[in-house]
């Protein structure tokens, strides 16, 4: 895989916990959209399948977190009730919760796999166009 260095660029806004990952994927996606990424179609599909598999595992984890979006029966004391509420908030009740972070992660993985596949299609089209041009030029000299 080859990525042209265009310099500059902005990093997409994301939660601090996911900012680095989202920024890297955002930069790659922008480079791919601009046609600055060259990648072999077979390698691209292999990478994209691996990323899809990671997204499937993340979706499974999100389903497990959904199970925690309920009160946890830890008892009836004030401390137990507070712990139950905090567990629920950590799992799925705030923008920084595990569920929200998993949603961002799944979205980023899906975007990355799509960008890789799109880059491979562009690379293949450019290679075919170049080959056709070489054939045309070679035919003109005959």
């Amino acid at each position: 895989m080859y990525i042209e260095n265009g310099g500059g660029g902005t990093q997409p806004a994301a939660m601090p916990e996911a900012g680095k990952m989202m920024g890297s994927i955002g930069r790659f996606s922008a480079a791919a959209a601009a046609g600055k990424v060259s990648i072999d179609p077979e390698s691209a599909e292999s990478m994209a399948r691996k990323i899809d598999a990671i997204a499937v595992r993340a979706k499974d984890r999100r389903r497990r977190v959904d199970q925690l979006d309920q009160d946890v029966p830890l008892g009836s004391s004030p401390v137990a009730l507070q712990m139950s509420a905090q567990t629920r908030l950590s799992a799925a009740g705030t923008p920084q919760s595990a569920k929200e972070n998993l949603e961002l992660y799944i979205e980023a993985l899906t975007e990355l796999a799509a960008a890789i596949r799109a880059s491979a299609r562009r690379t293949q089209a450019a290679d075919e166009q170049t080959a056709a041009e070489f054939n045309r030029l070679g035919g003109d000299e005959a």
Side-chain angles (χ1 to χ4, degrees):
M1 175 170 42
Y2 172 75
I3 303 174
E4 289 180 26
N5 183 2
T10 60
Q11 186 167 328
M15 293 174 19
E17 298 85 359
K20 186 174 181 179
M21 177 191 66
M22 297 296 285
S24 296
I25 291 172
R27 286 188 298 279
F28 175 81
S29 295
K36 295 181 178 183
V37 177
S38 299
I39 186 168
D40 172 72
E42 288 180 27
S43 297
E45 189 53 37
S46 175
M47 283 188 281
R49 277 195 309 268
K50 289 176 184 177
I51 292 167
D52 288 340
I54 295 168
V56 166
R57 289 193 303 270
K59 288 175 185 176
D60 179 57
R61 285 183 175 85
R62 182 186 58 202
R63 281 190 289 278
R64 288 189 229 161
V65 167
D66 284 341
Q67 295 171 356
L68 294 176
D69 191 8
Q70 59 186 323
D71 291 331
V72 181
L74 298 173
S76 59
S77 74
V79 171
L81 295 173
Q82 181 63 35
M83 288 174 60
S84 176
Q86 187 60 43
T87 299
R88 184 176 190 170
L89 283 173
S90 296
T94 69
Q96 293 83 23
S97 68
K99 181 179 179 180
E100 293 302 317
N101 278 300
L102 282 169
E103 291 292 340
L104 283 173
Y105 186 57
I106 292 164
E107 181 181 326
L109 291 170
T110 302
E111 179 182 326
L112 179 58
I116 289 170
R117 287 182 173 111
S119 295
R121 286 190 299 272
R122 281 189 201 88
T123 300
Q124 187 169 14
D127 288 350
E128 289 170 0
Q129 184 178 5
T130 301
E133 185 66 18
F134 281 142
N135 288 336
R136 187 188 66 75
L137 290 173
D140 288 347
E141 294 177 11

